[in-house]
């Protein structure tokens, strides 16, 4: 935590010092800085942090929970929107295998 001039404490927003080991499709491995993984694959990186119980570390605590909440919110919107659309070009869209 850092303390501002008026005495308020807040988390330090930094990813300095963190690198994660990535295994590529060809079998090779490399250490990638957290800032690059966070920028390229935020959801996968946040899920990895939660699965490996490092989400409370300062480098993850300030952003990982927000990313997962945003993912859940967007998934809910997509699901609800799917059920709203019933017709396309005047033809009813089946919503289950039995309706098709």
């Amino acid at each position: 935590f850092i303390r501002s001039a008026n005495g308020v404490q807040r988390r330090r927003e930094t990813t300095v010092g963190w690198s994660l080991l990535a295994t590529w499709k060809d079998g090779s491995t490399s250490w990638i800085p957290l800032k690059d993984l966070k920028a390229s694959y935020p959801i996968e990186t946040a899920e990895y942090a939660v699965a490996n119980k490092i989400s409370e570390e300062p480098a993850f605590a300030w952003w990982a929970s927000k990313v997962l909440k945003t993912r859940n919110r967007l998934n809910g919107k997509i699901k609800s929107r799917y059920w709203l659309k019933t017709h396309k070009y005047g033809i009813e869209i089946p919503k289950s295998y039995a309706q098709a």
Side-chain angles (χ1 to χ4, degrees):
F1 289 99
I2 58 172
R3 186 177 298 273
S4 64
N6 62 357
V8 176
Q9 278 190 343
R10 61 183 176 86
R11 291 188 186 270
R12 183 181 302 267
E13 296 182 2
T14 182
T15 58
V16 173
W18 279 85
S19 295
L20 299 176
L21 184 63
T23 304
W24 304 103
K25 288 183 180 179
D26 64 355
S28 63
T29 59
S30 60
W31 289 94
I32 302 175
L34 178 59
K35 67 175 186 164
D36 296 337
L37 283 175
K38 179 181 169 292
S40 301
Y41 306 103
I43 294 173
E44 291 85 353
T45 306
E47 287 174 346
Y48 174 83
V50 170
N52 290 293
K53 298 178 180 144
I54 56 173
S55 62
E56 294 303 317
E57 293 288 332
F60 294 94
W62 63 274
W63 65 272
S65 62
K66 294 176 191 171
V67 167
L68 295 176
K69 285 179 188 176
T70 303
R71 180 205 55 188
N72 293 339
R73 188 178 68 244
L74 292 176
N75 282 344
K77 287 182 178 183
I78 290 169
K79 287 178 185 176
S80 66
R81 195 160 173 87
Y82 168 78
W83 290 104
L84 291 177
K85 190 167 188 172
T86 57
H87 288 77
K88 187 171 183 178
Y89 306 116
I91 300 170
E92 186 176 1
I93 300 172
K95 298 293 183 184
S96 68
Y97 186 77
Q99 287 179 351

